Amino acid sequence: MDGQLLPVLLLLLGASGLWGQGPGPEGPLEEPPEEEPPEEKPPEEDGILVLSRQTLGLALREHPALLVEFYAPWCGHCKALAPEYSKAAALLAAESAKVRLAKVDGPAEPELAEEFAVTKYPTLKFFLDGNHRHPEEYTGPWEAEGIAEWLRRRVGPSATRLEDEEGAQALIDARDVVVIGFFQDLQDKDVATFLALAQDALDVSFGLTNQPQLFQKFGLTKDTVVLFKKYDEGRADFPVDEELGLDQGDLSRFLLTHSMHLVTEFNSQTLAPHRELLAGFREAAPSFRGQVLFVVVDVGASNDHVLQYFGLKAEEAPTLRFINIETTKKYMPADRGPVTTTSVAAFCHAVLGGEVKPYRLSQEVPPNWDQRPVKTLVGKNFEQVAFDETKNVFIKFYAPWCTHCKEMAPAWEALAEKYRDHEDIVIAELDATANELEALPVHSFPTLKYFPAGPGRKVIEYKGTRDLETFSKFLDSGGELPAEEPTEVPGAPFPEMPENITEPKDEL
C-alpha cells in the first residue's frame, strides 16, 4: 500500500572468452595471449556475500536474484541492520529460495558507490536476472522477516492462485487481513496492477482467482478486489471500474483505509472505570472512516512517551487529542466536557473544518540555559538565539530516547568546549520532542542545523559525519564540508506518532 497517512484522534484514558589462431604453419608463430586469471569467488560473512568491483559481475551472473547492501563501517544504522540482514539470509537459505544477499563496503569501493548513485548508508538495491544497469531500490522493512518477505514476493508469486473453495477459505482463515482479487481473465492488465501492489503490501496476504464457483460463493458477478478481515464489518469490496480499469493508487487507499480497525487500542489493558467512554468513541468512528484513525491510549500502561509527545500529564486524562500526521500539528478540544458520541464527532468536524487552531509544545526557559558550553534551547528562546545576526549558531535537535543522539553526545560536548571562547560561535541543543518549531519541522534524530551570522535567517542542514574533527571543519569553513566528505543517514526517525499507533513497521 502507499504511504498515505490518516490524521489521528486519540482518546487517552486514566492510569493503569575465445581466442583467434595465428597465421598458420607457414607464418611466424605468435605468442598466445595470456589467459585471464579465473574470476575470484566472493567471500562470505554470516551467509552474506562480500562483494567488490572485481566480484560483483560474477555474483550477478551466478545469482539471478541478488539483494546488495551498500554500507559504511562507521554507520550506526548499518551496524544495527547487520544481524537482521544475516537472519534474513538464513531464512531464505532454509527455504532454498533462489535469492542471495550481499554487501559492499561503499567507502572502500567508491567506484561502485558512484555507479549505483549511493548517497547514504545503508542503501539496498535488488538486481534481477543480472540486470546491472537498472536495479530496484529496496523499499521494505528493516527486520529479518520483512526483508525475506519483500524478496519472496519478487522471486515468487506475490499472490496465491486459488482454484477451489477449500483453498480460498484456508487463505482467509490464516491471517487477520486477506485480500483476494477476483478476475474473470487473468491475462487482463488489471491483474498486473493487482500483483504489483501485492509485492509491497507485506503485512497483508493476497490471493487471486478466476474460478466461477468462487465468484458465486462470494456473491460476485464482475471483477472485484475483496478485503476479508476478522474484525469490524468483516469484509469490504472494491469493484473494478469496467471502463477505467483498476487504479493502483485508488486500490491502495481503499485497502489502507479498510484494513484499519475503526478504533485502535494502543494498550489492551484499558481500565474498567473508563470503558464506558469507549462506547461514544466507537459510535463516532464509522462516519469518519477514511478521514480519521481513532486510537485509544491507556496513559497509565507504560505509555509515558505518548504523554510526552502531546505535552500531557496523566491526571489530565480522560481527554482527546487530534494530530495531523503529515504536518504533525496537534489539536485539543476547547473545553474538557464529557467524551460522548456527540462531543467526539463535533471535535473532529471542527478540526477538519479548520475551526480549531493547533497548539505547539514548548518548555519554559531554564534559568541556567546559557551557563554550560552546550546551550539549552526551548521553543520560547529559540528565535532570539538561532537568528542572532552576530552569532554563528550550531544546533542539535534531539530526542531523549534516541540512541544515535546519545552516541554523538560526547562529540557535541567536546565541540562546545573547543569553541567556548569564540564569542561568535554558539553550540546548542533542543529537545524536539518537547519543543515544536513551526518553521523548522524535525523529522529524524539527531538533526543538526547551522544558522550563520548575518541577515536573511539562513539555515544550513549538516549532513556530514558526526565526530569532533568533521564538526570542526564544518564550523571553520563557515558551514561547508569538503566534497569528498562521506555522509550518513540522518538518524532515528522522528515519531510523528509512536510506531504502533500508525503502522506496524520498524525503521532503523
Side-chain angles (χ1 to χ4, degrees):
M1 303 178 207
D2 64 11
Q4 181 174 342
L5 296 173
L6 296 175
V8 176
L9 176 68
L10 294 99
L11 168 64
L12 296 107
L13 298 178
S16 87
L18 295 178
W19 297 99
Q21 302 297 317
E26 302 195 2
L29 292 175
E30 295 181 0
E31 289 290 328
E34 293 184 10
E35 291 187 6
E36 289 190 357
E39 289 185 287
E40 178 187 353
K41 289 263 187 183
E44 291 190 26
E45 290 180 3
D46 297 325
I48 308 297
L49 297 174
V50 182
L51 303 182
S52 65
R53 185 169 59 86
Q54 290 76 22
T55 58
L56 177 61
L58 176 62
L60 289 173
R61 288 195 297 275
E62 288 192 346
H63 306 290
L66 187 69
L67 181 66
V68 180
E69 175 205 3
F70 291 84
Y71 73 98
W74 44 260
C75 170
H77 294 277
C78 304
K79 294 174 183 177
L81 175 61
E84 297 296 322
Y85 201 57
S86 294
K87 288 178 188 175
L91 286 171
L92 293 165
E95 302 166 7
S96 300
K98 297 180 179 180
V99 59
R100 286 298 306 266
L101 276 66
K103 64 181 180 180
V104 171
D105 182 337
E109 298 288 341
E111 292 181 10
L112 286 181
E114 181 178 359
E115 179 180 355
F116 296 109
V118 175
T119 60
K120 61 183 181 180
Y121 300 111
T123 290
L124 280 69
K125 294 181 181 283
F126 179 61
F127 297 82
L128 188 62
D129 297 327
N131 188 331
H132 189 274
R133 295 184 177 274
H134 302 290
E136 179 183 358
E137 293 286 337
Y138 176 79
T139 57
W142 297 90
E143 44 79 28
E145 182 53 46
I147 296 170
E149 184 61 22
W150 191 91
L151 290 168
R152 291 186 194 108
R153 296 200 186 188
R154 276 152 178 78
V155 300
S158 58
T160 303
R161 180 78 173 267
L162 304 173
E163 301 291 350
D164 50 39
E165 294 185 14
E166 183 180 0
Q169 197 59 53
L171 180 64
I172 293 170
D173 292 341
R175 298 281 295 271
D176 285 349
V177 179
V178 174
V179 176
I180 300 179
F182 295 81
F183 299 95
Q184 297 174 62
D185 180 6
L186 294 185
Q187 303 305 314
D188 192 282
K189 61 181 177 60
D190 291 333
V191 176
T193 301
F194 177 80
L195 293 175
L197 187 148
Q199 276 195 333
D200 290 311
L202 306 183
D203 52 341
V204 177
S205 291
F206 285 78
L208 181 70
T209 188
N210 65 343
Q211 297 300 309
Q213 66 269 30
L214 291 179
F215 274 75
Q216 183 177 358
K217 173 179 173 58
F218 294 102
L220 302 171
T221 59
K222 63 178 186 178
D223 291 4
T224 305
V225 177
V226 181
L227 182 147
F228 298 91
K229 52 187 174 180
K230 291 185 171 68
Y231 47 86
D232 296 337
E233 66 272 32
R235 168 177 168 172
D237 291 14
F238 186 87
V240 177
D241 191 297
E242 294 181 1
E243 294 184 4
L244 301 177
L246 188 62
D247 181 87
Q248 185 170 337
D250 289 344
L251 177 59
S252 178
R253 284 185 287 274
F254 170 84
L255 298 181
L256 176 64
T257 298
H258 289 275
S259 62
M260 292 179 176
H261 291 261
L262 274 171
V263 175
T264 301
E265 291 196 41
F266 188 70
N267 187 284
S268 60
Q269 298 178 344
T270 305
L271 295 183
H274 294 116
R275 286 194 180 275
E276 62 268 22
L277 301 177
L278 293 177
F281 201 61
R282 292 185 191 278
E283 288 175 13
S287 60
F288 294 95
R289 166 78 84 176
Q291 292 182 286
V292 180
L293 171 63
F294 283 66
V295 176
V296 176
V297 181
D298 177 356
V299 303
S302 300
N303 290 322
D304 290 344
H305 57 302
V306 180
L307 290 176
Q308 186 180 52
Y309 181 74
F310 285 96
L312 282 166
K313 297 179 180 178
E315 52 266 30
E316 295 181 67
T319 188
L320 298 169
R321 290 296 184 269
F322 191 109
I323 179 171
N324 184 311
I325 294 293
E326 294 182 355
T327 66
T328 72
K329 291 181 178 179
K330 305 175 182 69
Y331 306 82
M332 68 174 71
D335 58 64
R336 289 194 58 187
V339 177
T340 65
T341 303
T342 302
S343 66
V344 172
F347 179 46
C348 288
H349 282 303
V351 174
L352 296 174
E355 301 169 20
V356 182
K357 291 184 179 181
Y359 68 92
R360 291 196 302 273
L361 302 179
S362 178
Q363 296 172 311
E364 294 299 321
V365 180
N368 61 342
W369 70 271
D370 61 347
Q371 300 304 301
R372 296 172 48 245
V374 177
K375 312 308 179 187
T376 302
L377 301 186
V378 297
K380 294 182 177 181
N381 68 346
F382 174 81
E383 284 275 331
Q384 69 183 65
V385 176
F387 294 109
D388 183 338
E389 295 183 3
T390 67
K391 309 287 187 184
N392 298 291
V393 185
F394 202 9
I395 303 176
K396 173 183 70 174
F397 298 84
Y398 72 97
W401 46 260
C402 170
T403 57
H404 305 284
C405 303
K406 295 174 183 177
E407 287 172 358
M408 70 161 282
W412 199 248
E413 294 286 344
L415 182 71
E417 186 65 38
K418 179 177 179 180
Y419 289 90
R420 70 183 304 167
D421 295 329
H422 292 64
E423 293 186 0
D424 63 337
I425 292 179
V426 175
I427 308 300
E429 62 184 9
L430 181 144
D431 180 352
T433 67
N435 300 275
E436 298 174 325
L437 307 171
E438 184 175 11
L440 287 169
V442 176
H443 299 293
S444 63
F445 297 122
T447 288
L448 307 177
K449 293 182 184 288
Y450 178 72
F451 301 77
R457 297 170 67 89
K458 187 177 180 182
V459 182
I460 300 170
E461 184 158 359
Y462 177 88
K463 295 183 178 180
T465 307
R466 299 171 190 143
D467 58 45
L468 178 60
E469 180 183 359
T470 315
F471 287 152
S472 301
K473 289 180 182 178
F474 181 78
L475 286 177
D476 294 343
S477 64
E480 294 183 2
L481 281 175
E484 70 272 9
E485 193 70 44
T487 59
E488 184 176 357
V489 175
F494 182 81
E496 277 83 3
M497 286 294 294
E499 288 175 359
N500 47 351
I501 283 184
T502 52
E503 297 178 310
K505 291 183 178 181
D506 297 321
E507 279 190 79
L508 294 176

